Amino acid sequence: MNPIYEYLRELSALLRRSRRRRIVAEVHAHLLEAAAADPLHVSNPELAASRAVERFGPPARVAGQFNALRRRPLAMFQRVTAVLLACAGMGSLGAATVWALEPGTAQAHRADASHQHTPRPTSTLP
């Protein structure tokens, strides 16, 4: 069997499913190009393919690098979400502080509270 196809089969098994097809196609194109550029390609294409695979690196290392790229956006999303939540919390706290310290607001709030707790006169039945 062709060394490039063996390499791609092993690499495919190690990659995450969501991007596997695109990555395998890209690596395949690179390996074919590297094998075609090898001076031995005309006389011994299988040896040229083997040399291209060796230069590309072990499938486990290559798959690990591609799989690591997928995790970075998730970590960035988590960090951005944490910062946005912290900003929203600080904004709410700041608005509450300004509202509490604004002149006249506390008096209006106290007046509203006293109206709610004023006992209503009860009617007496004859």
Side-chain angles (χ1 to χ4, degrees):
M1 186 176 222
N2 186 324
I4 292 177
Y5 292 107
E6 288 177 28
Y7 182 90
L8 293 174
R9 188 173 39 99
E10 188 176 340
L11 178 66
S12 178
L14 298 169
L15 291 169
R16 294 178 191 263
R17 185 181 238 204
S18 62
R19 295 172 41 206
R20 181 180 300 157
R21 183 177 292 165
R22 184 188 62 79
I23 292 170
V24 168
E26 185 177 327
V27 170
H28 183 229
H30 285 294
L31 289 174
L32 289 177
E33 185 178 310
D38 193 308
L40 293 175
H41 180 66
V42 175
S43 62
N44 193 345
E46 191 167 321
L47 181 58
S50 293
R51 289 171 48 156
V53 165
E54 286 175 24
R55 285 191 304 267
F56 206 75
R61 183 177 55 91
V62 173
Q65 290 172 343
F66 278 112
N67 289 337
L69 289 175
R70 185 170 180 348
R71 285 186 224 127
R72 288 188 186 134
L74 177 62
M76 181 63 79
F77 174 74
Q78 289 171 337
R79 289 182 185 130
V80 167
T81 302
V83 168
L84 289 175
L85 288 173
C87 289
M90 292 303 292
S92 298
L93 182 61
T97 303
V98 167
W99 177 80
L101 297 176
E102 186 177 332
T105 304
Q107 293 169 355
H109 182 68
R110 275 190 234 115
D112 286 343
S114 67
H115 289 305
Q116 291 175 359
H117 297 298
T118 305
R120 293 185 177 170
T122 58
S123 63
T124 56
L125 294 174

